[in-house]
Amino acid sequence: MQQSVVMESDAQITELRARIARLAGECGCLMGGILLTVAAATAATYFLVVEAPTLGSAALAISCAFIAFVSGKLMGIGIARIRLRLLRRALNARLGSMR
């Protein structure tokens, strides 16, 4: 019975380590890609429905897509840091209750 508790605990520790490593290594690429896709789709829809692209409107669309991408990366990194901080706080609370 004691071994199963230890194994379960080891499995939980391994899972937590993987989760911490994933959150610590988050680069925001997924969120950046999502916002870049939304910006590109919005620009394409605008150019297809409202008006044909001019040099100025194409430059504006590219600038907006770049800003969306960078904003998404920063949001993704920020969300990962917040989740990591919350996980750390929960682990500290759990360890504090074990003492």
Side-chain angles (χ1 to χ4, degrees):
M1 183 173 206
Q2 190 75 346
Q3 287 180 338
S4 66
V5 172
V6 172
M7 286 183 193
E8 182 177 297
S9 178
D10 287 346
Q12 289 175 344
I13 290 171
T14 303
E15 179 185 332
L16 284 172
R17 283 184 178 167
R19 192 169 164 198
I20 289 169
R22 183 180 50 82
L23 288 173
E26 179 66 42
C27 66
C29 289
L30 177 65
M31 187 70 73
I34 290 171
L35 288 185
L36 177 63
T37 303
V38 169
T42 302
T45 303
Y46 175 79
F47 290 140
L48 289 173
V49 175
V50 177
E51 68 175 71
T54 62
L55 183 61
S57 63
L60 181 62
I62 291 170
S63 299
C64 288
F66 178 75
I67 291 169
F69 176 71
V70 171
S71 298
K73 282 193 71 75
L74 293 176
M75 276 189 344
I77 292 169
I79 290 169
R81 290 186 71 176
I82 289 170
R83 290 179 66 197
L84 186 59
R85 190 169 292 144
L86 291 174
L87 179 61
R88 180 196 227 166
R89 187 177 296 162
L91 287 174
N92 284 336
R94 181 188 269 176
L95 290 175
S97 68
M98 294 175 116
R99 292 179 187 172

